[in-house]
Amino acid sequence: SQQGEEDPQALSIQEGENATMNCSYKTSINNLQWYRQNSGRGLVHLILIRSNEREKHSGRLRVTLDTSKKSSSLLITASRAADTASYFCATAMEYGNKLVFGAGTILRVKS
Amino acid sequence: EAQVTQNPRYLITVTGKKLTVTCSQNMNHEYMSWYRQDPGLGLRQIYYSMNVEVTDKGDVPEGYKVSRKEKRNFPLILESPSPNQTSLYFCASSGGGGRPQHFGDGTRLSIL
């Protein structure tokens, strides 16, 4: 069963605007990861945030994690047309190696 | 270059004709996994392997087999494919312990 659920399912913004995607999950986690998928290609890891972290930055990406609400958000600042892709959150359980993926958010950045 | 290589990238075949999708990684990763991706359902895990000769079922294993005879290879076998196995398949590997996974470019299977 799916652990993570992304919101919104789809998002369309203008170049230069910020994009925010949210992810909710159900059980305790070791970490939460965000991946990007360009159309029909493999997923690429973007950023990992551990369960004891609240915020993490990587370039134009900012991820927050609220374990009390079992939710995370991914913020992409100053978006570019090249950011157009699907974005998935994935949760790593407290024990083991399994990642459970959500259904993803489709982001379209218009130039 | 670190990579996960899947073959073939595309395959159209018919019901009941056995097929194998190969997966190879060059990162010496212990953990490997197969997923299928269907619209609106995200990625669902089919099988995974913790190490050589150690495999286990994921969430949707029915109709699939795997083997892990060498650390670098993790083939996915469809003994008698059916149309409901038409999907986009991904192989991934990682160092385990919840570390990020490296994905192949995917194999698009169409079973007629």
Side-chain angles (χ1 to χ4, degrees):
Chain A
S1 60
Q2 281 177 251
Q3 160 82 314
E5 295 187 2
E6 282 98 334
D7 168 60
Q9 290 185 322
L11 181 60
S12 183
I13 58 174
Q14 291 293 135
E15 207 166 25
E17 295 180 339
N18 295 342
T20 300
M21 289 159 265
N22 303 297
C23 170
S24 60
Y25 58 93
K26 297 173 184 170
T27 63
S28 296
I29 60 172
N30 176 291
N31 65 66
L32 186 144
Q33 303 173 26
W34 286 90
Y35 288 79
R36 164 193 168 128
Q37 182 183 33
N38 285 19
S39 181
R41 304 300 301 273
L43 278 72
V44 175
H45 176 257
L46 294 175
I47 194 166
L48 179 153
I49 186 165
R50 302 186 195 287
S51 59
N52 61 354
E53 297 175 311
R54 292 296 166 258
E55 186 171 314
K56 203 160 183 181
H57 297 254
S58 176
R60 293 184 296 113
L61 305 181
R62 172 179 167 247
V63 170
T64 61
L65 179 64
D66 186 335
T67 52
S68 67
K69 294 181 180 177
K70 293 187 168 56
S71 67
S72 173
S73 67
L74 171 68
L75 169 67
I76 304 174
T77 60
S79 63
R80 305 165 182 167
D83 293 329
T84 295
S86 294
Y87 292 82
F88 295 88
C89 70
T91 48
M93 301 299 107
E94 280 189 302
Y95 303 101
N97 300 289
K98 185 173 182 175
L99 285 184
V100 180
F101 288 83
T105 293
I106 300 171
L107 173 65
R108 181 183 172 210
V109 181
K110 296 176 283 188
S111 56
Chain B
E1 181 192 348
Q3 59 185 4
V4 177
T5 304
Q6 294 179 229
N7 280 296
R9 291 291 315 281
Y10 305 91
L11 179 63
I12 301 173
T13 188
V14 295
T15 299
K17 186 176 180 182
K18 181 179 178 180
L19 67 91
T20 299
V21 184
T22 63
C23 174
S24 180
Q25 50 95 3
N26 63 359
M27 294 164 279
N28 201 36
H29 283 160
E30 293 181 345
Y31 183 83
M32 297 186 75
S33 181
W34 275 103
Y35 298 90
R36 61 178 288 172
Q37 184 178 28
D38 302 289
L41 295 178
L43 274 76
R44 293 181 292 167
Q45 190 181 51
I46 302 170
Y47 268 95
Y48 64 95
S49 170
M50 304 279 281
N51 213 326
V52 175
E53 303 291 2
V54 181
T55 63
D56 207 348
K57 296 176 181 178
D59 298 316
V60 288
E62 294 77 21
Y64 304 95
K65 285 176 58 177
V66 293
S67 68
R68 187 95 181 269
K69 293 183 170 56
E70 303 166 286
K71 198 171 187 178
R72 63 184 292 125
N73 296 324
F74 189 44
L76 178 70
I77 303 155
L78 284 73
E79 294 264 355
S80 183
S82 62
N84 64 12
Q85 293 176 298
T86 292
S87 188
L88 180 57
Y89 291 85
F90 289 101
C91 179
S93 74
S94 83
R99 293 184 183 88
Q101 295 190 5
H102 297 253
F103 282 79
D105 279 338
T107 296
R108 189 169 291 280
L109 285 183
S110 293
I111 317 289
L112 305 177

